[in-house]
Amino acid sequence: MKLYLPNLIIQQHKGLHVVRGDLYQGGIKCRVLTELFAADIKEEEVVYAGCYFGHSGFALGLAGLATDKRIALFLPSPHKDTYIQRQVESLNNVTCHIVEAEHQDGAVAAAREYAEKTGGYLLPVGFDYPAFTDRYIALMQSLDIHPEEVWVSGGSGVSARCLIRAFPNARINVINLNVR
């Protein structure tokens, strides 16, 4: 299958280069996941433990739509009605499994068990493994920008760690999304 993925948009604001992942439906991780699914993941179903506030479930669902993959998304109870969760639930290739767990680690255990039982492809939280991170780093390095400083939002920290490797001479600033 020949896969067409549009380039990321880079805008300049007062001398700063801004990589507009927010203008790519599903964000930069969706772009990377779509490549990953097309090239490396042969299983028809991808399994993941997510959260109600992050965009990983939405990125997975959109990447799955582009590559004909089903997504089994495991979430801890109780169900939370958030804007992004409604977007995830609107995708016809995503099945949400709400598990009795107070934290994401309980959802991870349930996702692992499900993947072992069904033969689905289990992705780690934040997509923190070489097949994903190497693609993310390569995408960033392909942008022909050489920043002195980078600002990035951080949940699991995967994006920040990829940017550190993509731009080793830049100062990386992470905006913590996990503040409670």
Side-chain angles (χ1 to χ4, degrees), residues 23-131:
L23 296 179
Y24 190 97
Q25 189 176 25
I28 293 171
K29 284 187 176 181
C30 179
R31 170 89 164 53
V32 177
L33 286 166
T34 303
E35 271 185 42
L36 177 69
F37 288 5
D40 290 353
I41 298 178
K42 305 306 176 211
E43 290 82 356
E44 293 178 8
E45 185 173 51
V46 176
V47 182
Y48 187 73
C51 71
Y52 296 100
F53 301 99
H55 286 70
S56 294
F58 190 55
L60 280 165
L62 292 174
L65 285 174
T67 57
D68 296 321
K69 304 272 186 218
R70 292 185 325 274
I71 308 300
L73 183 62
F74 285 76
L75 300 154
S77 63
H79 179 272
K80 292 182 177 54
D81 182 27
T82 64
Y83 170 78
I84 193 63
Q85 185 60 27
R86 286 192 298 275
Q87 298 304 305
V88 171
E89 291 170 0
S90 75
L91 300 174
N92 65 5
N93 66 323
V94 177
T95 301
C96 293
H97 302 266
I98 312 301
V99 299
E100 290 298 321
E102 290 184 27
H103 303 289
Q104 191 177 24
D105 56 348
V108 169
R112 183 177 297 112
E113 182 180 323
Y114 176 88
E116 289 170 1
K117 214 182 294 182
T118 64
Y121 190 93
L122 179 66
L123 286 172
V125 171
F127 318 122
D128 193 7
Y129 76 119

